[in-house]
């Protein structure tokens, strides 16, 4: 499981899936959508990919997460 994410300023902070879901939900609403279950599903998929790509004490950046979403 990904425990930390590297912010744009270089800090490592705890990884919170809820932040990904929230950002996706805002994007969905911005285009007139309402399928929040899909936002949660995308978050799970992104988290799964991150777990594979960033193991062995490596940390994704905010940009890495954005690219996957």
């Amino acid at each position: 499981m990904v425990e930390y994410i590297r912010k744009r300023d270089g800090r490592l902070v705890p990884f919170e899936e809820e932040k990904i879901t929230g950002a996706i939900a805002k994007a969905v609403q911005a285009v007139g959508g309402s399928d929040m279950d899909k936002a949660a599903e995308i978050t799970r998929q992104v988290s799964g990919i991150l777990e594979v790509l960033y193991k062995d004490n490596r940390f994704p950046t905010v940009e890495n997460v954005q690219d996957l979403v």
Side-chain angles (χ1 to χ4, degrees):
M1 179 176 162
V2 175
E3 294 183 37
Y4 294 95
I5 186 168
R6 188 168 304 280
K7 302 292 276 189
R8 287 184 175 90
D9 64 7
R11 290 178 297 131
L12 279 178
V13 298
F15 179 75
E16 300 176 44
E17 283 187 350
E18 301 82 23
K19 288 191 176 189
I20 297 172
T21 304
I24 295 169
K26 286 180 185 177
V28 167
Q29 291 173 344
V31 297
S34 61
D35 189 354
M36 295 307 140
D37 290 336
K38 189 69 168 175
E41 179 183 332
I42 292 169
T43 299
R44 285 190 297 276
Q45 292 173 352
V46 168
S47 290
I49 293 168
L50 288 172
E51 287 178 21
V52 172
L53 294 176
Y54 296 95
K55 54 187 174 188
D56 303 326
N57 292 327
R58 295 178 55 221
F59 306 108
T61 64
V62 169
E63 289 82 7
N64 296 139
V65 174
Q66 288 175 331
D67 290 347
L68 285 175
V69 172

